Amino acid sequence: MTLSPSPEGHSVSAQIVWAAVVLAICLAVVAVVSVSWAMGRIDDRALGEQRQTIEVALFEARARLAADQAATTVTLEEVASETEELDRRLTTALGHDRAYILAPDGKVLRASVDGHYAGKIFTLADSFVLQPIIDRLRLRIARAAFDDPSLRSNDAAGILALRTVGFADSGQGFVSIRPMTSLSDDEAIDDHLLISIKLIDQTMLHDIGKQFGIANIRRVAHPSSVGWLPILNWEGATLTYLAWTPAKPAQALLGEAAPALITMLAMVGVAMAALLVWLRRTSLTMEASRAHATYFALHDPLTGLANRALFETRLRQAKDYEFLAETKVLLISVDIDRFKEINDSWGHAAGDQLLREVAKRLMIEMPEEATVARLGGDEFAIIHPGILSEGQARWICQRLVQYTRTPLTIGSERINVTLSLGAALEKGDEVTPEEILRRADVALYAAKLAGRDGFALYSPDMDREKRERRTLEIELRNALLTGEGLHLLYQPIHGSLSSKIAGAEALIRWMHPTRGLLSPDHFIALAEECDIIDQLGEWVLREACRFAVSSDLPRIAVNVSPVQFHNARLAERILAILVETGLAPDRLEVEITEGVLLQNSTQTQEILATLRQAGVSIALDDFGTGYASISYLRSYAVDKLKIDKSYSQLVGTDPVVGHIVRLIVETARALGMSVTAEGVENQDQRRKLTSMGCTYLQGYFFARPLSPDDMRDAFSRNMKTGIDQKLA
């Protein structure tokens, strides 16, 4: 059964509806009248405030012109200089447009326009306007000096002419003229005048509008119906008018109309308030939750940079970047050099802080249109659209490398950090985003190979070099696994006085099946990079120790790569190989480079200390070519210094080199170290290095690197010669 509404119900409902409609219409009419009245008041008030703001801004600009002059000092030597440093200091550095320096006779000594030298004459727009002002100022200065004869010219610096003028080219601006201030009382700068001009141009008006939130300030020939202000010259004549688009502050309007609206809508407002509050809270909660989820979906939580998802989106968008000229997309892959060492040495908390600091520096250096992203670990990437040339791309990369070289403070420690950058500059519509990223990674690989702390810009040759290097890596791994092709040569080390063989240095060589004999320069860096230097180093050490045992050599020297010191078990492995081969620790000499000392890590110190306590000697190779200081030598307690061959080969011809070698020998003696001179090639070098106090000598004069059999024969002959000499 269905119940139908009664006519009375319809009537009541209609009355309620009509009453609500009438009430709504009345409220709407009253609200419109009230809002219109309030809007008129607010607009008039805002217009007056804007007019006053513009007047004050122009007054401050004119006063700042005079203040800038008062703080400017100039010497006659700078005035006569042909460089534009003074022109930039008088104009663009202060935000001025033109400047003139006048001699006492009225001649222009120097004209500067927009930071450039403009000769020794007034521009046509300035000459007619400036001359009357200059004459009046000269007269004022003369009268001041006449009234008080003790007045010096420099005391007249407080007298100036500050005017608002119109120029012959229909422009307007401020002119400030005052006596110049010299850097010292010795310079004859008296009675010279400095003239500075600041134009009231669209740039100035735009800056005022931007600073104070006033839209579309411009010069007009006639005043408009709303929003105008006359610009008067120093005589009170109108030069031009300024017009702008008056603001209509809705918030102020609501504030003025609020009492009337609240009175009329009180009954509705009470009912709606609770609903609005609930809706607002719900909306804000949902917005905050959505914004939070969106942010962390697109940003790295540690650094706040874009994550890989946002990076890939921006990279796809970069190809559509619009500019006035044809541009390219610059993609930079960034890697923190030796980040793993810092992370292992200082802890993960320090590593995270380092990542945040590097991210901050990258963000500071990049413009707003660029995107800086963290792709993972210590890998960053930068997308910079709108690049016009390769030179611009190189400048950006070089600036990033230099900016991050400043030491970072992590906790209480200062850490030197460098970056390796690989850049790809491509047309977005010709190369896919994935290919641009790959090319940037290839360039980054090349930058690391070049020694890190630098950048490389992608070229097609890099792909070929990378493939060849990858092939060489595989071949090196196979050679190390099978032992084929790798072998050691030995260069004798002789006592400087006895000429006896005191030991030998083990030198690795690789007989490549297609490239022939390769020296360590061709594959050691590769082994370090692909993390097989530990295995290669152990192979060399094991072979050298076995040879020393079988040949009865007094001592064998083995080079250890700086990368091997990243392994905390290095000392343990070396001592284990000594036990395995049966070589006494005091017959092993570990040669390190200055780079090992410069790491200055606790782990390196502990490794060297453990080896020395076991009896292994530590020699510092190629001394004099790096930056190791005496403090490092004392901290690490090195046993021997090996003078680089570049010194040994010049010791007989360059007196300065001879003096340096003597200093090295004396320093070693003071620290209780012996000295080996490398690269000895003739009798004269041998004699002089011996006389300077070198303990051991090594070089082609004695022998080139020898095979194991030749080394045994040479050692046997040397020992037999020594025995025969004793018997004789």
Side-chain angles (χ1 to χ4, degrees), residues 36-108:
S36 299
W37 170 78
M39 186 176 295
R41 290 191 57 192
I42 294 171
D43 288 344
D44 291 340
R45 180 188 303 170
L47 183 61
E49 291 175 349
Q50 290 177 346
R51 182 178 289 109
Q52 183 179 8
T53 298
I54 295 174
E55 289 178 341
V56 171
L58 292 175
F59 177 81
E60 290 179 349
R62 192 176 73 162
R64 187 162 56 250
L65 178 67
D68 291 341
Q69 274 193 321
T72 302
T73 57
V74 179
T75 65
L76 288 179
E77 181 181 359
E78 290 177 312
V79 174
S81 172
E82 295 182 1
T83 64
E84 293 187 346
E85 175 59 29
L86 177 60
D87 304 303
R88 289 190 290 270
R89 182 150 55 89
L90 293 178
T91 56
T92 54
L94 298 173
H96 302 171
D97 296 289
R98 298 191 288 272
Y100 301 93
I101 297 177
L102 267 60
D105 60 2
K107 292 183 178 180
V108 178

Side-chain angles (χ1 to χ4, degrees), residues 163-223:
R163 301 283 189 268
T164 303
V165 299
F167 296 100
D169 59 357
S170 300
Q172 300 84 35
F174 305 129
V175 173
S176 179
I177 309 175
R178 67 163 66 241
M180 290 173 59
T181 303
S182 64
L183 290 173
S184 66
D185 295 336
D186 298 331
E187 297 188 71
I189 204 76
D190 302 343
D191 296 330
H192 288 67
L193 296 181
L194 174 60
I195 303 173
S196 297
I197 297 174
K198 174 65 176 179
L199 298 178
I200 305 175
D201 54 14
Q202 194 57 43
T203 300
M204 175 191 284
L205 299 178
H206 175 76
D207 292 340
I208 293 174
K210 184 177 180 181
Q211 181 180 1
F212 297 104
I214 303 175
N216 196 24
I217 305 179
R218 61 200 181 278
R219 291 180 294 178
V220 295
H222 304 286

Side-chain angles (χ1 to χ4, degrees), residues 104 130-148 151 156 159-161 163 177 179 191 193:
L130 295 178
Q131 196 58 53
I133 303 175
I134 295 171
D135 294 339
R136 289 187 180 91
L137 180 62
R138 292 282 193 193
L139 183 59
R140 288 176 58 196
I141 295 174
R143 286 177 177 173
F146 180 81
D147 293 338
D148 185 0
L151 186 68
I159 302 176
L160 79 155
R163 301 283 189 268
I177 309 175
D191 296 330
L193 296 181

Side-chain angles (χ1 to χ4, degrees), residues 150-159:
S150 64
L151 186 68
R152 297 180 303 155
S153 294
N154 282 346
D155 293 334
I159 302 176

Side-chain angles (χ1 to χ4, degrees), residues 190-462:
D190 302 343
D191 296 330
H192 288 67
L193 296 181
L194 174 60
I195 303 173
S196 297
I197 297 174
K198 174 65 176 179
L199 298 178
I200 305 175
D201 54 14
Q202 194 57 43
T203 300
M204 175 191 284
L205 299 178
H206 175 76
D207 292 340
I208 293 174
K210 184 177 180 181
Q211 181 180 1
F212 297 104
I214 303 175
N216 196 24
I217 305 179
R218 61 200 181 278
R219 291 180 294 178
V220 295
H222 304 286
S224 60
S225 58
V226 292
W228 61 274
L229 176 71
I231 300 297
L232 308 178
N233 67 4
W234 61 285
E235 295 175 332
T238 301
L239 299 176
T240 187
Y241 294 90
L242 297 183
W244 63 92
T245 302
K248 296 180 180 180
Q251 294 296 329
L253 173 62
L254 292 177
E256 292 285 345
L261 292 175
I262 292 174
T263 301
M264 291 181 292
L265 302 175
M267 296 177 64
V268 177
V270 171
M272 296 295 295
L275 178 60
L276 292 175
V277 169
W278 179 81
L279 289 175
R280 180 172 177 79
R281 287 179 178 176
T282 303
S283 176
L284 290 176
T285 302
M286 294 177 63
E287 286 292 331
S289 177
R290 184 162 51 249
H292 185 79
T294 301
Y295 180 85
F296 281 104
L298 299 175
H299 292 80
D300 173 49
L302 178 63
T303 62
L305 301 178
N307 62 9
R308 184 175 289 275
L310 181 57
F311 166 79
E312 292 175 351
T313 300
R314 295 283 175 83
L315 185 56
R316 288 192 297 270
Q317 295 172 346
K319 67 183 182 64
D320 299 324
Y321 183 83
E322 295 183 358
F323 200 66
L324 297 178
E326 184 180 36
T327 62
K328 296 182 179 180
V329 177
L330 174 64
L331 178 60
I332 307 174
S333 290
V334 182
D335 195 66
I336 302 176
D337 293 334
R338 310 190 190 284
F339 175 75
K340 186 177 183 302
E341 301 173 26
I342 298 174
N343 211 29
D344 293 342
S345 301
W346 303 98
H348 292 288
D352 290 345
Q353 186 178 349
L354 173 59
L355 292 173
R356 286 191 291 267
E357 290 294 331
V358 171
K360 185 187 302 181
R361 292 192 176 189
L362 294 177
M363 285 292 294
I364 291 174
E365 278 298 296
M366 287 293 100
E368 184 177 353
E369 64 268 19
T371 299
V372 183
R374 180 186 176 215
L375 304 184
D378 63 326
E379 299 177 16
F380 297 86
I382 300 172
I383 306 168
H384 196 320
I387 300 300
L388 297 172
S389 65
E390 180 179 320
Q392 182 186 2
R394 290 183 178 276
W395 178 78
I396 292 171
C397 293
Q398 184 62 42
R399 189 180 65 185
L400 286 174
V401 171
Q402 292 177 345
Y403 183 62
T404 51
R405 283 175 180 162
T406 305
L408 297 175
T409 301
I410 306 297
S412 59
E413 301 289 339
R414 289 175 64 81
I415 299 177
N416 293 314
V417 177
T418 59
L419 299 183
S420 293
L421 275 62
L425 183 63
E426 308 292 344
K427 291 183 179 179
D429 56 350
E430 295 180 359
V431 182
T432 64
E434 294 76 11
E435 178 62 14
I436 296 178
L437 181 58
R438 189 196 69 81
R439 293 181 180 185
D441 288 338
V442 170
L444 176 61
Y445 181 81
K448 290 182 177 181
L449 290 182
R452 298 184 174 91
D453 190 19
F455 74 93
L457 191 62
Y458 172 82
S459 67
D461 291 340
M462 290 181 179

